[in-house]
Amino acid sequence: QVQLVESGGGLVQAGGSLRLSCAASGRSFGSYIMGWFRQAPGKEREFVAAIRWSGSRTSYADSVMGRFTISTDNAKNTVYLQMNSLKPEDTAVYYCAVSTKLNIDIAASAKYNYWGQGTQVAVSS
């Protein structure tokens, strides 16, 4: 089975930065879609960003556009989420995920096959 392990979360003041990492193992990912989602207490999981594993095409939620950047290091089988200008509203557990499906709505969490355990991000004001 594919394993995804997130790291890099923590507590940061508003305006600060964090870089989340997701190390993937178990198979070659080819052209699969890699995504980041987040879930705050009492709220549903929401889309944050996604990237094609073997390419440079990216998508972002409107709420993080211009502040977050998703990228991959294919040699390390790792996907990153660079988060700048953090806001208290960004506080959530962040999950990385993989979709092996074609022609999907990349913002739909139900279309992703594999999920990590999550890493906590807390932004204080």
Side-chain angles (χ1 to χ4, degrees), residues 44-113:
E44 294 187 350
R45 189 169 298 183
E46 65 176 349
F47 170 76
V48 176
I51 187 170
R52 185 173 294 276
W53 181 255
S54 61
S56 60
R57 294 175 61 185
T58 58
S59 295
Y60 297 93
D62 290 344
S63 60
V64 306
M65 183 73 70
R67 300 188 297 120
F68 291 9
T69 303
I70 187 171
S71 63
T72 62
D73 184 335
N74 291 356
K76 297 181 179 180
N77 286 340
T78 300
V79 60
Y80 303 98
L81 185 68
Q82 178 67 46
M83 305 187 295
N84 298 327
S85 301
L86 283 162
K87 305 175 180 179
E89 305 94 276
D90 297 316
T91 295
V93 176
Y94 284 70
Y95 301 88
C96 67
V98 174
S99 177
T100 64
K101 302 174 183 178
L102 301 176
N103 300 317
I104 65 168
D105 177 1
I106 61 173
S109 61
K111 300 301 183 179
Y112 286 76
N113 306 75

